[in-house]
Every structure is written in C-alpha cells, then in structure tokens.
Amino acid sequence: MTDAPHSPCSAKAGPIEIAFVHRADRYAHQIQVDGSAWLESIEGSEVERWPASPPLQELASHSQPAGGAALLLVGMAGRSHWSLSVAVAGEPDRLRFDAACRANEPPVWLGSTYRLRCGITATSESGRWLLVKANSESRLALEATGAEVVFAAGELTIRPTDHSTKLPATARWQ
C-alpha cells in the first residue's frame, strides 16, 4: 500500500472548507480557513482497533437541496463501525460534523483528534473553543454537542460524553 494521496473531495461554507484525501486505507481531512490549513486529522493505522480519529474508508458526496455538498463517510476498525457526515449547517459560514461509532466491544478510545497547524492557537471561551491564526484577523469557533473538547500539546480532541456500557452501543459526537 502507498501513502500517496488520491484526488481530494471537499465541502465549503464561506471561508471554511473541509478537504478529504485518501491515504493508505482511509480518508484523512484538513479543515481550512481562507485556503490555509488550520487543523488536520490524526489517523490511526490499519491494525488499530481504536484509532485517534474515525477510520473512514468510503466517501460519498451528495448535493443538498439548499445548495452545497453533504459528505457521508463510513468505515470499520476491529469489530466497530464508524461514520461521519459533514454538511453546510444552514448558515453560509458554518459546517456541521456528525460522527458516530457503533461499538461491539468495550471502547478503549472514541473521538476525533486533530493536529493544529503552525501558527494556530486555541483558547476556551464560554463553553466553546476559539482558534486563532497568528498575524491574522481570522477566527474559527468550535462548538461541541454531546462531546467534550480538549486542547493539549498542539492537539485538539473531541470525545463523546455519553456512551452506553451495554454493548453493542452507539456513541455520537457533533
């Protein structure tokens, strides 16, 4: 297998864009603002049962009635199934991410992990995270539903706050 990327697929809402590229056995993605990468997903390997981000192996793009693309991704690691949808969220500069994992065994880790690109800092403000680019007026706000957001050592993690211990179970974070 090669790590050479294939053609990317993306969704755009105003200055915000999410771009997916296929690497090895899954899709990685970057969140860009004004054409500059701010966050990039940290992916696991094909042997990890609980990777740092959902192992997304299939991607479909659909047009929304109100315009713009909705991206739907699914994948599997171990005995668990993962999904992610990304769509324009009713406002011209807002993307909505909806991730889930159907776990068939006790999860060791669930969530999405991102590396902040050079020059991007994160601060917590009134229950949401604000990302700022050095020497720029650009800002990116992250609001989580059903999830906690943690920033440490140049990485941002988004973890579901509610998941059942009775298996199989589905955990969801937005």
Side-chain angles (χ1 to χ4, degrees):
M1 248 181 225
T2 178
D3 282 335
H6 294 83
S7 298
C9 186
S10 65
K12 189 170 174 78
I16 305 166
E17 182 174 11
I18 180 165
F20 286 90
V21 63
H22 196 265
R23 291 193 180 113
D25 72 330
R26 66 196 63 201
Y27 284 92
H29 61 278
Q30 283 188 347
I31 299 170
Q32 304 171 358
V33 178
D34 295 326
S36 174
W38 284 41
L39 298 164
E40 65 183 353
S41 61
I42 296 176
E43 302 299 324
S45 72
E46 57 196 34
V47 297
E48 287 181 83
R49 295 174 79 79
W50 302 104
S53 292
L56 305 168
Q57 295 145 339
E58 295 181 35
L59 182 149
S61 177
H62 299 277
S63 296
Q64 297 186 98
L71 304 176
L72 308 170
L73 299 99
V74 295
M76 186 173 177
R79 294 180 43 229
S80 299
H81 299 267
W82 305 72
S83 65
L84 175 68
S85 68
V86 181
V88 175
E91 296 178 34
D93 60 350
R94 190 172 210 148
L95 288 173
R96 181 178 188 88
F97 293 68
D98 193 341
C101 176
R102 180 71 171 171
N104 290 300
E105 58 191 17
V108 174
W109 157 261
L110 288 176
S112 302
T113 307
Y114 295 92
R115 179 177 301 109
L116 271 66
R117 297 297 297 255
C118 188
I120 306 299
T121 58
T123 58
S124 181
E125 180 180 285
S126 303
R128 68 180 186 162
W129 282 88
L130 186 63
L131 303 181
V132 179
K133 184 174 184 176
N135 303 317
S136 171
E137 304 252 340
S138 296
R139 307 266 186 274
L140 180 64
L142 301 175
E143 298 176 29
T145 302
E148 68 173 339
V149 179
V150 176
F151 172 72
E155 294 180 3
L156 190 78
T157 58
I158 304 166
R159 299 188 63 162
T161 53
D162 186 28
H163 47 85
S164 174
T165 56
K166 183 178 179 197
L167 298 172
T170 301
R172 183 175 173 203
W173 56 104
Q174 301 175 319

